[in-house]
Amino acid sequence: MSLAPLPRLVIEPLVRAALLEDLGLAGDITSAAVVPADHRSSLVMVARQAGVIAGLDAAELAFHLVDPAIHVVRQIEEGSQVRPGDTIATINGPSRGLLTGERTALNFLGHLSGIATVTASLVEAVRGTKASIACTRKTTPGLRALEKYAVRAGGGMNHRFALHDAVLIKDNHVAIAGGVAEAIRRARAGVGHMVKIEVEVDTLEQLRDALQEDVDAVLLDNMTPAQLREAVAIVNGCAITEASGRVTRSTVAAIAASGVDLVSVGWCTHSAPTLDIGLDVPG
């Protein structure tokens, strides 16, 4: 699949911070003591579980920042499916640098591949419907750009990236404003014409109020599949419909079958298990 990479400008500060966290003030004291300075090695990065790979750029950068003499040769591309035993990459270079960068590289790669894998399973579950899988802002602080990239690697879509790039009127906004319609009117008066406005609704009555204000999208929160079908019929193509809340692998297909345009899932970023990936000296 074709997947636009994240700019190094985005990735590098995150990888540097992770390396600094690991190295501290004294560096890798174990490798410095045990491994001769001139020793070189070749390691193989292998998938130990089936999944979708994401985060190779971050992993490769972790090695390069430790020692520019380390050379990474990828055997697969980002977004590729792997099976247990598949070789992901070979890494060659000074042994101390390889061992120093290993954990940081695998932390990024395993975490992001886990997100991509979970996302891909949800995308597959809704195949045959019109719905796309979208992530949310429920991300690890500081890692949002990478985690949302991993969602794309798994075939999902990104919801808004932050508070500044789109209006999403939530239940507390509605409560403070005094109602759905008033919240939408205030939002429209406060932002430019290029900014989309979405509003969260909990009931069909709130949905009808939102549609009276020509809202761009509606977030149908915690509705049953039957309620979602009715909501989609009420909207009738006048706004983008997004289902959210109580989405699991076992419920996502029924939610998507209601006819919504999007199903947003928070746990694909905040609770995805790490994909098990090993980095070893070939035996």
Side-chain angles (χ1 to χ4, degrees):
M1 63 177 292
S2 177
L3 182 66
L6 285 175
R8 178 166 173 156
L9 184 67
V10 173
I11 301 173
E12 185 167 338
L14 307 179
V15 177
R16 283 188 180 277
L19 288 169
L20 287 171
E21 180 180 56
D22 218 16
L23 291 169
L25 298 177
D28 182 0
I29 60 175
T30 306
S31 297
V34 174
V35 180
D38 60 352
H39 192 275
R40 297 179 67 85
S41 296
S42 178
L43 304 181
V44 180
M45 186 180 286
V46 176
R48 293 173 177 167
Q49 288 178 292
V52 178
I53 296 301
L56 284 169
D57 287 345
E60 184 171 340
L61 185 57
F63 287 115
H64 288 168
L65 289 175
V66 168
D67 190 332
I70 294 174
H71 186 52
V72 178
V73 180
R74 302 184 188 185
Q75 303 300 317
I76 63 170
E77 296 302 320
E78 295 274 64
S80 297
Q81 294 271 355
V82 292
R83 295 170 297 179
D86 284 352
T87 298
I88 297 168
T90 56
I91 303 98
N92 309 289
S95 299
R96 284 186 181 179
L98 292 174
L99 296 174
T100 298
E102 173 184 5
R103 178 43 50 199
T104 296
L106 289 178
N107 282 350
F108 277 113
L109 188 62
H111 176 57
L112 298 177
S113 296
I115 292 172
T117 299
V118 164
T119 302
S121 73
L122 294 170
V123 170
E124 181 60 31
V126 304
R127 193 174 301 282
T129 72
K130 65 181 290 191
S132 297
I133 299 296
C135 57
T136 71
R137 284 168 48 243
K138 295 177 182 177
T139 54
T140 307
L143 296 183
R144 181 171 296 166
L146 287 173
E147 291 178 344
K148 282 184 171 286
Y149 166 82
V151 168
R152 298 197 300 276
M157 295 178 59
N158 293 153
H159 207 277
R160 62 177 177 164
F161 270 76
L163 295 173
H164 62 78
D165 62 352
V167 171
L168 176 49
I169 300 169
K170 304 281 284 182
D171 52 355
N172 286 333
H173 295 108
V174 170
I176 292 171
V180 166
E182 179 61 20
I184 296 170
R185 285 194 288 267
R186 292 184 187 182
R188 198 172 298 284
V191 299
H193 70 285
M194 295 292 290
V195 179
K196 297 286 188 180
I197 297 176
E198 180 173 16
V199 63
E200 176 185 298
V201 298
D202 301 315
T203 66
L204 298 179
E205 181 181 1
Q206 285 185 324
L207 173 62
R208 292 186 177 93
D209 289 342
L211 294 175
Q212 289 296 316
E213 300 299 324
D214 295 325
V215 73
D216 298 297
V218 288
L219 191 157
L220 309 167
D221 192 44
N222 286 309
M223 292 188 179
T224 66
Q227 290 171 322
L228 289 171
R229 285 192 294 273
E230 187 172 355
V232 169
I234 291 170
V235 173
N236 194 28
C238 293
I240 295 170
T241 54
E242 174 187 349
S244 181
R246 303 175 187 173
V247 180
T248 67
R249 285 190 185 90
S250 60
T251 64
V252 69
I255 291 170
S258 68
V260 294
D261 299 301
L262 300 169
V263 181
S264 59
V265 185
W267 59 265
C268 67
T269 48
H270 68 62
S271 296
T274 296
L275 191 71
D276 191 4
I277 296 169
L279 183 64
D280 300 295
V281 176

